Amino acid sequence: MWRRLEPGRCTRPADGTGGPDPAGEWADFALAAPVMLVRDGEDAPCRPVGDPVSLADWAGGRRRLHGRAPTVADVDLHLSTLWPPVRMRGFLEVRVLDAVPAAWWPGLAAVVAAVVDDDRAADAAAAAAEPVAHRAADAARLGLADPALARAARGVLAAALPAVPTGLRGAVEAWAELTAAGRGPADLVLDRARRSGPTACLTAEELR
């Protein structure tokens, strides 16, 4: 849904090709994205841009917005309107982490931190994920029902587990057990909905 909503802002930089220059890929993505809002002054209201004008065209003088060139504040505002799955903000904002029930956040965050910060875990996770690196749309639709995606998920978890802090190991092991069973948090939500009705999914503190 996000990819279809606004491909220029919501797709992965370089379509997630994992090239050697991720910062350059991010810059290219940001420059090519259409400008959504312009604000003439710090206290002025944001005004929408009706025509598709990329930041590159505005900064390069090929198009003018509000009769002027962009400022640093304009670039900062533009960057805040980009919503790829992972966004650079001086840190990596992984936007999908909050899509799981709250009880599952710690383990998922631990896995992400491990495969980003630990070189050995990063290499092993990259090798596990490489066969499905270009199948993000399939992953969203099919999840662990797809054998190749399921293998990749198990491989990433196995790569992360040795690098996870002791206090979070149990949370990651719970993910590994759920994934090994071919299930994910969405299955737990559906189980609770069938058992207790949809309202129970909104009020439950934990889904185990």
Side-chain angles (χ1 to χ4, degrees), residues 28-29 36 38 91 123 135 160 172 191:
D28 290 342
F29 168 72
M36 182 180 191
V38 174
F91 54 89
D123 288 344
R135 298 186 58 197
V172 176
D191 288 347

Side-chain angles (χ1 to χ4, degrees), residues 8-208:
R9 291 190 187 89
C10 303
T11 54
R12 296 171 295 168
D15 198 27
T17 53
D21 183 20
E25 291 175 359
W26 171 260
D28 290 342
F29 168 72
L31 286 166
V35 178
M36 182 180 191
L37 302 167
V38 174
R39 180 166 49 207
D40 293 321
E42 184 176 344
D43 298 323
C46 291
R47 289 190 286 174
V49 177
D51 296 325
V53 178
S54 70
L55 179 62
D57 283 347
W58 188 19
R62 291 178 291 276
R63 297 288 299 273
R64 305 284 281 183
L65 293 176
H66 294 203
R68 60 177 178 81
T71 65
V72 172
D74 289 318
V75 175
D76 287 341
L77 177 61
H78 173 68
L79 294 176
S80 74
T81 68
L82 307 180
W83 299 291
V86 179
R87 183 163 64 167
M88 292 187 182
R89 300 185 61 195
F91 54 89
L92 292 179
E93 179 187 69
V94 184
R95 302 186 60 253
V96 297
L97 294 187
D98 61 356
V100 299
W104 293 88
W105 290 1
L108 188 56
V111 169
V112 173
V115 301
V116 169
D117 290 340
D118 185 276
D119 289 343
R120 184 174 298 179
D123 288 344
E130 195 278 333
V132 295
H134 305 290
R135 298 186 58 197
D138 288 341
R141 281 197 311 270
L142 305 174
L144 299 177
D146 181 276
L149 291 168
R151 279 194 301 274
R154 292 192 297 268
V156 169
L157 286 165
L161 193 55
V164 169
T166 303
L168 290 169
R169 188 172 296 271
V172 176
E173 288 174 343
W175 269 99
E177 292 172 5
L178 188 67
T179 303
R183 290 165 59 81
D187 295 296
L188 304 182
V189 173
L190 290 172
D191 288 347
R192 184 176 289 271
R194 295 184 186 107
R195 188 169 59 247
S196 305
T199 303
C201 298
L202 302 176
T203 58
E205 293 184 3
E206 292 190 1
L207 283 167
R208 289 282 186 187

